[in-house]
């Protein structure tokens, strides 16, 4: 039996055989996806896919409204953004589509 095969460790999180010391060391990269499955990144522009009532603002954002320069949050299902009339707006990714 060769000694090189014993040096690898099985990482259950990724399902791969990795050299010792690297198993579990890779940071987990979370993909944030819109309603259509497109990957979102900081600074992207998105379009609303349905009318949304904004709590606390007594305003409704209409379908087709463009939100520019989004920021990703720690939660992969939410994005932080700004609208002309609403500051500090947080939207769920299920209601937006990447432009």
């Amino acid at each position: 039996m060769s000694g090189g095969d014993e040096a690898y460790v099985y990482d259950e999180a990724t399902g791969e055989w990795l050299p010792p010391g690297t198993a579990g060391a890779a940071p987990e990269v979370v993909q944030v996806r819109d309603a259509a499955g497109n990957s979102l990144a900081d600074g992207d522009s998105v379009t609303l896919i349905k009318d949304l009532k904004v709590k606390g603002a007594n305003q409704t954002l209409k379908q087709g409204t463009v939100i520019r320069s989004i920021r990703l949050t720690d939660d992969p299902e939410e994005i932080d953004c700004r609208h002309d009339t609403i500051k500090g707006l947080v939207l769920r990714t299920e209601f937006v589509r990447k432009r």
Side-chain angles (χ1 to χ4, degrees):
M1 180 176 226
S2 68
D5 292 338
E6 297 172 334
Y8 285 89
V9 177
Y10 184 73
D11 184 17
E12 292 183 21
T14 62
E16 298 178 5
W17 288 93
L18 303 172
T22 60
E28 206 173 296
V29 177
V30 178
Q31 287 289 326
V32 178
R33 299 201 178 271
D34 68 359
N38 299 318
S39 182
L40 296 174
D42 284 338
D44 283 347
S45 294
V46 295
T47 305
L48 297 180
I49 61 171
K50 66 179 276 183
D51 292 352
L52 297 175
K53 292 181 183 177
V54 181
K55 293 181 180 178
N58 293 332
Q59 184 176 0
T60 300
L61 293 175
K62 298 291 183 184
Q63 178 180 352
T65 301
V66 176
I67 306 291
R68 291 181 174 82
S69 189
I70 65 167
R71 289 184 308 273
L72 303 181
T73 63
D74 294 335
D75 187 351
E77 296 180 358
E78 294 179 347
I79 56 173
D80 192 25
C81 49
R82 291 175 57 180
H83 187 261
D84 294 338
T85 59
I86 305 168
K87 307 299 182 210
L89 180 64
V90 177
L91 293 174
R92 304 229 357 127
T93 56
E94 63 189 289
F95 300 123
V96 299
R97 184 181 68 232
K98 187 174 181 177
R99 282 198 75 176

